[in-house]
């Protein structure tokens, strides 16, 4: 292997490593790694064990309902400002869709 090839190989390794770092930092869906656990658990438990039939609506509709529920719930919660609203809504929607908790 010539010096030139070694240099290109080195640059390719560096470029690949940079690509991995950049892609790892991009948000991707709502995996547990991207959610605030306290907020998610609060949203998941906000229905206090109420039983729901399996949701017939799509995820966006369920989350819209949870957003409305968040507004009602947050009024009576003095620490509501300390919760991550997105994580709370995801937890609420997971509960309504009868999904296992992500935590």
């Amino acid at each position: 292997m010539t010096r030139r090839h070694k240099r290109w190989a080195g640059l390719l390794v560096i470029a690949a490593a940079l690509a991995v770092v950049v892609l790892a930092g991009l948000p991707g869906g709502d995996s547990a790694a991207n959610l605030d656990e306290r907020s998610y658990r609060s949203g998941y438990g906000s229905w206090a064990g109420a039983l729901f039939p399996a949701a017939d609506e799509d995820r966006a509709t369920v989350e819209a309902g949870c957003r409305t529920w968040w507004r009602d719930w947050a009024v009576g919660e003095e620490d509501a400002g300390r919760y991550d609203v997105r994580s709370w809504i995801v937890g609420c929607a997971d509960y309504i869709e009868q999904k296992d908790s992500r935590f």
Side-chain angles (χ1 to χ4, degrees):
M1 189 181 268
T2 67
R3 256 188 194 177
R4 185 175 183 186
H5 288 112
K6 286 181 183 178
R7 188 176 320 141
W8 277 107
L11 288 174
L12 285 173
V13 168
I14 292 171
L18 278 172
V20 168
V21 169
V22 168
L23 291 175
L26 293 176
D30 288 318
S31 70
N34 294 332
L35 298 172
D36 174 60
E37 182 176 358
R38 178 177 178 257
S39 301
Y40 176 90
R41 286 185 185 272
S42 178
Y44 195 88
S46 66
W47 294 100
L51 296 176
F52 292 95
D56 292 335
E57 297 90 9
D58 63 357
R59 181 68 180 206
T61 303
V62 172
E63 286 188 5
C66 285
R67 193 169 293 109
T68 299
W69 173 233
W70 160 260
R71 288 185 209 115
D72 294 342
W73 179 86
V75 168
E77 185 68 29
E78 65 182 54
D79 290 340
R82 293 177 39 197
Y83 289 98
D84 175 60
V85 178
R86 178 72 191 138
S87 296
W88 194 97
I89 290 170
V90 170
C92 171
D94 281 357
Y95 182 80
I96 290 173
E97 291 184 337
Q98 300 175 352
K99 293 183 178 178
D100 290 333
S101 174
R102 299 181 194 205
F103 292 97

